[in-house]
């Protein structure tokens, strides 16, 4: 069931969203060659502590997971698409990193993700990351009252496919509110004019995921969480929590 949020609730979610934005900014600033993924998680934990916020990631265990998630961020490197567990892996020059972060504050959740390169960027990686953000922007632009979920999906998918990238099967965005994952689902590819109508008060996590090699398949690591490309190509992930309002889409996880 989709829960519409009041304007007051959206404003409260904006406060949570700023915490998520600060987590991502701090993690990105700390992400230098030689820094471990576990150290990035510690940086993000510090932001949560300072804000008095909790983590919807830490201890989260969906049906597919063999163990609860042990961190407050997902840190996915190179061929890892999403859900990477922060480990002692130390970043290397040219690594493509995707960080997904969430926060809970005063009963409201926020969820966002960024992708970037550490050190010298490969041109192909820069194009992949740029396209992920273009797809996110297209999806947000389509998130208007009167449109449908399929319009968001179509906007994202068109950007990704036109650039020649793959889209991981069965993964996409979702509603956000009291819980990190709520209805409705928001696919990253679809037909315009189809699906649930968008209404004032809906809050969605819009999150394109792109596979450089053009395939849509993925595999799970032994940790049961990290999803990797089957062809070994690199991946990028971009995400914002967005409120649907009568005045247009409002990004809740921007700084």
């Amino acid at each position: 069931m989709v829960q519409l949020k009041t304007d007051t609730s959206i404003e409260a979610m904006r406060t949570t969203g700023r915490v998520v934005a600060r987590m991502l900014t701090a993690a990105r600033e700390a992400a230098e060659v030689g820094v471990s993924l576990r150290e990035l998680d510690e940086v993000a934990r510090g932001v949560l502590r300072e804000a008095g916020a909790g983590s919807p990631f830490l201890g989260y265990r969906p049906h597919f997971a063999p163990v609860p998630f042990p961190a407050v961020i997902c840190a996915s490197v190179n061929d890892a698409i999403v859900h990477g567990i922060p480990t002692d892996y130390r970043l290397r020059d040219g690594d493509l990193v995707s960080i997904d972060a969430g926060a809970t504050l005063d009963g409201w959740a926020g969820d966002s993700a960024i992708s970037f390169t550490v050190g010298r960027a490969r041109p192909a990686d820069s194009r992949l990351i740029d396209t992920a953000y273009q797809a996110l922007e297209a999806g947000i632009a389509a998130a208007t009252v009167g449109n449908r979920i399929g319009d968001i999906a179509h906007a994202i998918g068109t950007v990704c496919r036109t650039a020649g990238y793959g889209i991981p099967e069965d993964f996409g965005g979702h509603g956000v509110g009291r819980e990190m994952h709520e209805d409705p689902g928001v696919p990253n590819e679809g037909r315009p004019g189809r699906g649930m109508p968008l209404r004032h008060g809906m809050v969605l996590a819009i999150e394109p995921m792109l596979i450089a090699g053009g395939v849509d398949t993925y595999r799970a690591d032994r940790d049961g969480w990290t999803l990797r490309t089957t062809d070994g190509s690199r991946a990028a992930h971009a995400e914002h929590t967005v409120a649907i309002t009568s005045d247009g889409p409002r990004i809740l996880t921007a700084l």
Side-chain angles (χ1 to χ4, degrees), residues 16-237:
T16 307
R18 288 191 180 97
V19 176
V20 179
R22 292 199 296 272
M23 292 172 69
L24 292 172
T25 299
R28 181 169 186 170
E29 290 176 349
E32 299 179 350
V33 173
V35 173
S36 74
L37 301 181
R38 201 181 304 275
E39 288 170 329
L40 298 185
D41 186 67
E42 287 299 326
V43 168
R45 288 175 189 247
V47 174
L48 287 173
R49 284 193 296 269
E50 183 179 353
S55 169
F57 288 20
L58 185 62
Y60 179 60
R61 189 178 184 183
H63 65 88
F64 63 80
V67 296
F69 197 76
V72 303
I73 63 170
C74 298
S76 306
V77 181
N78 295 333
D79 66 330
I81 307 166
V82 287
H83 302 164
I85 295 177
T87 64
D88 291 327
Y89 175 85
R90 295 194 176 277
L91 295 170
R92 302 171 183 173
D93 186 46
D95 276 348
L96 194 167
V97 183
S98 297
I99 303 290
D100 193 352
T104 54
L105 185 65
D106 296 327
W108 294 105
D111 190 9
S112 185
I114 59 174
S115 290
F116 56 90
T117 301
V118 175
R120 292 168 292 183
R122 302 179 183 181
D125 288 347
S126 296
R127 178 175 177 267
L128 177 66
I129 293 168
D130 288 346
T131 305
Y133 284 110
Q134 290 167 14
L136 176 59
E137 291 171 2
I140 293 171
T144 59
V145 172
N147 272 359
R148 292 176 176 266
I149 292 290
D151 294 305
I152 298 175
H154 178 71
I156 293 170
T158 297
V159 172
C160 298
R161 296 302 190 189
T162 299
Y165 296 129
I167 300 171
E169 297 173 339
D170 304 322
F171 275 86
H174 49 87
V176 184
R178 292 292 185 183
E179 304 291 335
M180 177 173 59
H181 292 135
E182 296 184 351
D183 291 333
V186 186
N188 284 329
E189 191 169 31
R191 298 176 63 182
R194 298 296 183 92
M196 181 178 293
L198 303 179
R199 299 171 58 190
H200 180 94
M202 293 174 69
V203 179
L204 308 174
I206 299 174
E207 51 177 324
M209 305 166 199
L210 285 64
I211 297 175
V215 301
D216 296 347
T217 54
Y218 53 86
R219 61 177 179 84
D221 264 3
R222 291 182 179 178
D223 63 23
W225 277 99
T226 308
L227 300 183
R228 296 188 182 276
T229 62
T230 54
D231 62 358
S233 65
R234 294 190 168 193
H237 179 202

